Structure formats: structure tokens, C-alpha cells
Amino acid sequence: MIKMQIRKSTTADIPRMQEIFAYARGFMQRTGNPNQWDENYPTLEMLKGDIAQDVSFVCEHQGRLVGTFMLVGGDEPTYAEIYQGAWKNNRPYGTIHRIASSGEVKGIFTAAISFALERYGTLRIDTHRDNKVMQTLVERAGFEYCGIIYCFDGTERLAYQLN
């Protein structure tokens, strides 16, 4: 396992985070998932808001930012209703959103999950139906498929829970 430091993001990290998200969008397009994130996602305002709310994190390897994700505790509004399935339980949980890697090192997802599990005993995550890479990572990490949720814009996502 590659040693990685995870810390809260700062506004000084935003330019590098934007580079990481640009790489991740390209990776998703190259791997059959061109529709999950448009060319402006996430917006600068989203990133600033996440940082202001203390829910944005970066992964560092040898002093370089190589990944980023959002980790939020408490009820995720879009998870209130789940279709064609059910959540495993109603325990308090953390939700991971907007996880992205620069592609420079492996293990960003595993490091983020370990970090999140130290803070929340139960995790939930969702992804686009076309995001086969993320589905594989999620399932390998032990998440179980629970059903379908809908984002605020009405788009469908596959929903998973761990513990």
C-alpha cells in the first residue's frame, strides 16, 4: 500500500484539485462514462463551498496532491428515497462524493475509504450506471449494492453501502 497523507483541502489547493478533476473527467470518458460529470464539474463555487463546510479532503503522496474527495456525515438528502432495493440499515453514516485521482498513484479510493471508516462506521456512496471502474472499486471495497437513488437534477445513480 502506498503511503498517503489525507488532510482537509484549503483554497490554495483548488488549482491542483481542478487539474485532478480534469484528469478524472478524461479518464471517465476514456472508460465509457462520458456523462457523469460535465466539463465544468465540479464548479469553482462547489469546491469553495466544500472547503468552507470542512467536507473537502486531499490525498498527498510525497508532498504532491494526487487525489481529492468529499466526505460528509449525516443524512444525504438524495438518499432519503431508494428505489428497487433498500439500504442495509439506518445507522448514522458518512457519504463519499466527488472522489478523483490524478492517475499518478494507485490507492486513492482505498485510502479515502480507510480514512472515512475511521470517522464513520457506516459509509454510503453512489455512482453512475456507466461508471464501471467505480462500481468495481466499490464492490472490491466491500460495499453492497442497495438500489437506485436520484440526484437533485433527476439523474439516476447506483447506490451502495458498507457496514
Side-chain angles (χ1 to χ4, degrees), residues 4-7 9 13 16-17 20-21 56-61 64-69 98-105 108-109 112:
M4 227 170 293
Q5 290 286 105
I6 296 178
R7 63 168 174 79
S9 308
D13 297 322
R16 177 64 178 149
M17 292 168 68
I20 291 169
F21 283 116
S56 177
F57 296 87
V58 290
C59 305
E60 290 181 318
H61 175 66
R64 181 157 170 82
L65 296 188
V66 294
T68 183
F69 62 96
R98 294 200 269 278
I99 188 162
S101 166
S102 67
E104 296 169 67
V105 298
I108 303 296
F109 185 81

Side-chain angles (χ1 to χ4, degrees), residues 8-154:
K8 288 189 177 181
S9 308
T10 69
T11 54
D13 297 322
I14 289 176
R16 177 64 178 149
M17 292 168 68
Q18 290 174 314
E19 291 174 5
I20 291 169
F21 283 116
Y23 175 83
R25 287 189 301 269
F27 177 82
M28 288 194 294
Q29 289 175 358
R30 290 188 303 276
T31 57
N33 182 28
N35 301 311
Q36 185 170 350
W37 290 354
D38 69 28
E39 65 187 43
N40 298 313
Y41 186 87
T43 65
L44 178 59
E45 292 75 28
M46 287 177 170
L47 297 179
K48 287 180 177 178
D50 293 348
I51 291 167
Q53 294 173 45
D54 286 332
V55 297
S56 177
F57 296 87
V58 290
C59 305
E60 290 181 318
H61 175 66
Q62 298 178 343
R64 181 157 170 82
L65 296 188
V66 294
T68 183
F69 62 96
M70 180 180 159
L71 175 62
V72 182
D75 292 341
E76 163 61 50
T78 60
Y79 291 177
E81 291 192 51
I82 188 165
Y83 302 89
Q84 300 176 26
W87 294 112
K88 291 175 54 176
N89 55 56
N90 291 318
R91 288 185 216 139
Y93 60 91
T95 303
I96 294 178
H97 287 301
R98 294 200 269 278
I99 188 162
S101 166
S102 67
E104 296 169 67
V105 298
K106 296 207 179 292
I108 303 296
F109 185 81
T110 301
I113 296 303
S114 295
F115 179 86
L117 281 172
E118 289 174 7
R119 285 145 184 81
Y120 304 96
T122 299
L123 298 177
R124 292 182 182 178
I125 196 167
D126 64 85
T127 194
H128 195 281
R129 186 175 297 276
D130 293 341
N131 197 339
K132 303 297 184 195
V133 172
M134 183 58 73
Q135 291 169 42
T136 299
L137 289 171
V138 165
E139 290 167 6
R140 277 190 198 151
F143 283 81
E144 292 179 44
Y145 174 75
C146 294
I148 296 170
I149 61 102
Y150 289 91
C151 299
F152 290 121
D153 66 4

